[in-house]
Amino acid sequence: MNSNPKALFRLASKNIPLIIKDQFSNYDERTGGTYHLIDKKIEIYSEVVRSEELNATLTHEIGHTYYNNTTTKNETLEKSFEEELSTWEQSNEKINSGNEVYCTTDIDEFVAEAYILLTSGESPSAYTICKHFPKTFALVKELIDSEDK
């Protein structure tokens, strides 16, 4: 994945601190970064900085800022996600592997994964997002477009 100017502009324009850490206190080896809602900062694990995953991880964490920094919860977005999640969970086509379904963890992770797809054109969750969550994906696009005005 190439660099993502839109994501980097979001980071700079919203004055979101970016911290590189050698170790997370509760580090999960699957986690390359984290967005702290209360402190409004992004931490990236130093091993990710030295890997091909940096751009995807940073873009994902910046994606969290769209959902978590809105002043009011978007009930339409949350309802759409829950409805499409329920349909996806009942489908016979359900994929059962890590990154391809990470977007189904919760609405926050969905927005972060959708942001990667919208800004870079690729995401490990792309198939699941596009096939099973088209309404929610469209609502995320609206949220991002309205925040970026």
Side-chain angles (χ1 to χ4, degrees):
M1 186 181 293
N2 295 326
S3 66
N4 192 329
K6 183 175 182 176
L8 295 175
F9 179 76
R10 169 81 177 180
L11 187 68
S13 68
K14 298 294 180 180
N15 293 319
I16 301 166
L18 174 62
I19 299 159
I20 309 301
K21 298 204 70 161
D22 284 333
Q23 187 174 12
F24 289 157
S25 57
N26 57 349
Y27 180 70
D28 176 337
E29 65 186 34
R30 296 170 297 157
T31 302
T34 186
Y35 174 69
H36 294 274
L37 180 59
I38 295 170
D39 299 335
K40 300 198 181 318
K41 67 181 178 182
I42 292 174
E43 291 181 346
I44 301 292
Y45 182 51
S46 61
E47 289 299 316
V48 171
V49 173
R50 296 183 287 268
S51 77
E52 295 177 8
E53 295 298 314
L54 175 60
N55 193 46
T57 300
L58 184 56
T59 302
H60 174 93
E61 298 309 329
I62 291 168
H64 283 299
T65 69
Y66 283 91
Y67 182 72
N68 289 307
N69 287 348
T70 56
T71 53
T72 58
K73 289 293 180 190
N74 187 326
E75 291 179 18
T76 305
L77 176 63
E78 291 172 0
K79 183 177 178 189
S80 176
F81 175 76
E82 291 300 325
E83 288 172 358
E84 290 183 318
L85 179 65
S86 178
T87 302
W88 173 78
E89 287 173 335
Q90 296 171 21
S91 76
N92 292 328
E93 200 174 317
K94 186 175 170 185
I95 301 169
N96 290 310
S97 66
N99 289 338
E100 294 166 359
V101 296
Y102 191 61
C103 64
T104 65
T105 303
D106 57 34
I107 186 63
D108 190 20
E109 295 302 342
F110 184 89
V111 172
E113 287 294 300
Y115 182 69
I116 295 173
L117 185 57
L118 286 166
T119 59
S120 71
E122 57 187 359
S123 164
S125 297
Y127 175 81
T128 304
I129 290 170
C130 295
K131 174 80 175 171
H132 297 285
F133 294 84
K135 292 177 188 170
T136 308
F137 186 52
L139 291 169
V140 170
K141 184 176 183 327
E142 288 177 20
L143 171 70
I144 290 168
D145 288 346
S146 70
E147 283 271 317
D148 286 348
K149 284 184 179 178

